[in-house]
Amino acid sequence: MKGQLLTAILAASLLTPVASADTIEKGKQIAWDRKKGNCLTCHMFEGGQQTGNVGPPMVAMKARFPERKALVEYIKDPTKRNPMTAMPPFGRNKILTEQEINLVVDYLYTL
Amino acid sequence: MKTIIRNVAFGLLGASVAAASVAGPAEDRAAFQKFYENRFPDTPVDDFKNGVYSILPAAREQWESIEEFPPYELAIERGEEIYNKTFANGKSLKDCFGEDGAVRSEYPHWNKERGMVMTMELAVNECLEANGEKPLKYKKGAMADVTAYMSYNSRGQMVNVEIPADDPRALAAYENGKEHFYTKRGQLNFACADCHMHTAGMMYRADTTSPAFGHATSWPVFRSKWQAMGTLHRRFAGCHNNIRANPYKAQGEEYRNLEYFVTYMSNGLEFNGPAARK
């Protein structure tokens, strides 16, 4: 039993980049931290207090961004899709590192 | 999904407002004011002078009760003292701005001789210095107090900024302020227009952003967050800090030109400073 489970986990982790409870929690902290992502300024997140409404609510992220790379790229520089957007270019302007953006995406995919 | 579509639509509208500018300041202003009138159809036009409260019925009642015992009252009293105080040379601010200093609607204006935008704060300091007195700091304190007194005595005057056609440098100053207003800057990549035009009325955390139509009418303000008075340029610098952009110098050319542009955009509204803000 144990061996099977282990194999299953290993197989899953080979297929998708590993999002663990740990990276998801870290991603959430980065997204919520006012000095980091501060995403709640503009987006509604489940469980968030005093969330803004400048951007759309963060729900059903897998359905909206089936491709992980597209979501990462979007957060790095949303002005590529809409030059007028109010959303900051988190990667291009070095507000978050590549690694931090990936952690945020792990978290977003749980929403 | 709805929000996304709304944002894109407003983005395009904003672009068309900016593009319409080729035609000149008068056309800019008409398009600018129309934008806010369409966006906030429930706001009577002359009410845009009340900042965010012109579009937020929920917060308005509390604000009106604050205005009944205005937190800027002491500032007006302190300002009156400064205004009437006799300088070492026997003169006073009255010699520059008249008996009660009700000159709000004369500023900002284009000074042709010097080729620059004159603001009320700059004029106060020039009067002090011309009479051998020490100039005041521009963002808060005595300057906010004395301009609160002068604005109070000017209440009801109309905003009527002119861009004189006979001096291309005036148009250049206006264009410079306008470009500043629409240009994204800072690490967070925001233009004034992003918050106060394209997303005006939306919520950033618990803060709803005010329409820029009316931005220059109510100064100085007593802000609860500051627990004190502040000038318009103090507010400009605050918004720049929030988007992680380097603020410019209060009363430097950049902010004076920005004031020239935003005040011109509010032509036709009343000056109603000082005011209370969150």
Side-chain angles (χ1 to χ4, degrees):
Chain A
M1 251 327 242
K2 231 182 182 176
Q4 265 175 15
L5 194 66
L6 206 68
T7 325
I9 292 171
L10 269 173
S13 66
L14 284 176
L15 287 174
T16 49
V18 265
S20 65
D22 181 47
T23 60
I24 290 167
E25 182 54 33
K26 277 192 183 132
K28 179 177 176 180
Q29 278 174 18
I30 294 162
W32 286 39
D33 187 335
R34 284 173 189 261
K35 298 220 158 65
K36 292 277 189 180
N38 200 11
C39 316
L40 280 67
T41 295
C42 300
H43 297 284
M44 198 278 285
F45 282 77
E46 197 189 327
Q49 303 288 320
Q50 293 202 326
T51 57
N53 63 6
V54 175
M58 289 290 106
V59 293
M61 295 315 291
K62 267 215 172 101
R64 284 152 88 168
F65 289 87
E67 231 193 296
R68 183 182 173 98
K69 192 162 173 291
L71 182 51
V72 171
E73 288 306 314
Y74 182 75
I75 297 169
K76 276 188 183 167
D77 192 356
T79 65
K80 281 191 182 148
R81 196 176 84 186
N82 170 13
M84 303 275 296
T85 187
M87 177 153 151
F90 287 95
R92 174 163 62 84
N93 278 10
K94 300 190 168 53
I95 303 163
L96 297 177
T97 64
E98 173 107 30
Q99 194 200 1
E100 285 171 328
I101 290 172
N102 272 287
L103 291 169
V104 168
V105 167
D106 284 352
Y107 162 59
L108 289 184
Y109 273 146
T110 68
L111 302 172
Chain B
M1 221 35 206
K2 224 174 165 183
T3 321
I4 302 176
I5 293 159
R6 269 185 57 167
N7 272 319
V8 173
F10 283 126
L12 291 176
L13 234 167
S16 64
V17 168
S21 66
V22 197
E27 290 79 5
D28 286 359
R29 190 183 64 221
F32 187 91
Q33 298 188 352
K34 195 90 208 130
F35 172 87
Y36 293 99
E37 287 166 29
N38 290 339
R39 179 111 186 222
F40 303 105
D42 296 336
T43 300
V45 176
D46 62 2
D47 204 57
F48 280 108
K49 64 176 185 273
N50 290 320
V52 77
Y53 306 106
S54 67
I55 58 163
L56 263 193
R60 180 141 185 151
E61 208 169 308
Q62 197 200 355
W63 170 70
E64 279 172 350
S65 71
I66 290 173
E67 287 275 350
E68 276 174 36
F69 301 96
Y72 47 77
E73 201 148 46
L74 285 172
I76 296 175
E77 284 172 23
R78 289 191 301 264
E80 182 170 13
E81 270 176 43
I82 298 167
Y83 194 79
N84 292 323
K85 199 174 148 234
T86 311
F87 301 150
N89 68 2
K91 295 193 169 182
S92 76
L93 285 168
K94 292 184 198 176
D95 291 281
C96 298
F97 304 106
E99 195 49 39
D100 58 0
V103 296
R104 182 58 265 195
S105 63
E106 292 173 25
Y107 301 93
H109 69 247
W110 180 251
N111 181 311
K112 196 173 176 184
E113 292 70 49
R114 295 162 67 184
M116 63 184 277
V117 173
M118 271 309 287
T119 64
M120 191 157 88
E121 290 82 356
L122 200 59
V124 165
N125 264 356
E126 291 193 349
C127 175
L128 290 172
E129 288 186 285
N131 287 289
E133 298 289 310
K134 272 221 271 227
L136 304 173
K137 291 223 167 79
Y138 281 122
K139 288 197 199 161
K140 49 188 166 183
M143 178 60 84
D145 292 344
V146 74
T147 53
Y149 172 73
M150 294 165 77
S151 291
Y152 184 71
N153 289 341
S154 311
R155 275 188 178 180
Q157 292 178 1
M158 304 303 277
V159 183
N160 186 22
V161 176
E162 284 172 30
I163 320 282
D166 63 350
D167 190 344
R169 294 172 305 167
L171 184 62
Y174 165 88
E175 290 290 348
N176 177 234
K178 175 177 148 189
E179 194 192 335
H180 188 120
F181 184 83
Y182 289 105
T183 304
K184 284 176 174 288
R185 65 188 70 232
Q187 194 188 24
L188 299 186
N189 201 45
F190 277 100
C192 313
D194 285 333
C195 291
H196 295 291
M197 188 166 208
H198 312 314
T199 66
M202 295 177 117
M203 285 173 74
Y204 290 77
R205 294 266 183 186
D207 288 319
T208 303
T209 46
S210 53
F213 182 25
H215 257 178
T217 55
S218 319
W219 298 87
V221 306
F222 183 96
R223 236 190 128 194
S224 323
K225 192 184 153 203
W226 295 333
Q227 278 300 306
M229 301 294 293
T231 59
L232 178 61
H233 292 199
R234 181 179 182 186
R235 183 73 232 207
F236 286 169
C239 284
H240 273 146
N241 278 325
N242 288 343
I243 58 172
R244 302 186 194 161
N246 286 329
Y248 290 86
K249 232 176 97 205
Q251 296 303 327
E253 187 175 23
E254 193 78 16
Y255 279 174
R256 278 184 289 108
N257 289 348
L258 182 59
E259 177 176 344
Y260 195 42
F261 170 76
V262 290
T263 317
Y264 180 79
M265 286 296 119
S266 291
N267 273 4
L269 295 179
E270 242 175 49
F271 277 112
N272 64 338
R277 292 289 186 267
K278 192 168 109 178

